[in-house]
């Protein structure tokens, strides 16, 4: 059985606090996409909302673009298909890619260590801005995943 980070505890270390919140929200998204079939992972209620596999794939790519691209200056890009996970790949592959990306993000953030590390996105952006953006994006999609899963099979709760 996979375990997910618990509700975050407080800490005076702001960087660690932000990473704890991000980890908790990632766990919420992964819980919603766990224990379903590949077909269910691609299901969209009445063709609306993103499928659970698409949410996972999208969030993986969002972290990649912001951390590797904007923070580390590596080339990244966005595919229009990122939100609709390829039909020949299992949901388990998407979840594992998200777990690996989370580890890479956390390691990169800890290596930077300073929340005021500048970001390539704009004049007033820094690592703090990026982490808050990732928390916001992940929280929004956690709610989205919660709604899709409830409509899919009635599963509710965190």
């Amino acid at each position: 059985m996979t375990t997910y980070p618990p509700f975050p505890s407080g800490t005076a270390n702001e960087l660690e606090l932000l990473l704890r919140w991000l980890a908790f929200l990632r766990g919420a998204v992964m819980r919603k996409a766990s224990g379903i079939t590949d077909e269910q992972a691609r299901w969209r209620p009445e063709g609306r909302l993103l499928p659970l596999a698409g949410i996972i794939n999208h969030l993986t790519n969002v972290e990649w673009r912001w951390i590797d691209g904007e923070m580390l200056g590596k080339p990244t890009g966005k595919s229009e298909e990122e939100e609709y996970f390829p039909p020949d790949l299992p949901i388990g592959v998407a979840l594992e890619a998200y777990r690996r990306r989370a580890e890479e993000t956390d390691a990169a953030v800890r290596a930077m260590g300073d929340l005021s590390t500048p970001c390539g996105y704009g004049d007033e952006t820094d690592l703090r801005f990026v982490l808050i953006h990732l928390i916001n994006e992940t929280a929004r999609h956690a709610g989205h995943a919660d709604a899709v899963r409830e409509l899919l099979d009635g599963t509710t709760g965190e």
Side-chain angles (χ1 to χ4, degrees), residues 86-142:
D88 57 336
L89 293 174
I91 184 63
V93 171
L95 286 166
E96 183 54 33
Y98 192 37
R99 281 186 201 94
R100 279 193 318 273
R101 179 66 251 177
E103 290 171 1
E104 292 167 2
T105 293
D106 292 356
V109 166
R110 287 186 177 105
M112 286 179 244
D114 181 355
L115 288 169
S116 63
T117 301
C119 169
Y121 185 71
D123 292 341
E124 296 296 319
T125 57
D126 56 16
L127 180 57
R128 179 181 287 105
F129 172 92
V130 170
L131 286 174
I132 291 170
H133 174 70
L134 293 177
I135 289 166
N136 175 61
E137 182 86 7
T138 307
R140 290 175 60 232
H141 285 297

Side-chain angles (χ1 to χ4, degrees), residues 44-91:
R44 296 171 63 205
E46 298 178 14
R48 297 178 182 170
L49 301 174
L50 295 178
L52 291 167
I55 293 168
I56 296 289
N57 197 49
H58 171 63
L59 288 173
T60 301
N61 282 285
V62 165
E63 287 195 31
W64 170 67
R65 279 192 301 276
W66 278 99
I67 298 300
D68 288 21
E70 298 300 335
M71 290 306 305
L72 301 177
K74 297 178 183 175
T76 60
K78 182 175 182 181
S79 163
E80 294 300 319
E81 293 81 37
E82 120 178 354
E83 295 165 351
Y84 302 97
F85 198 67
D88 57 336
L89 293 174
I91 184 63

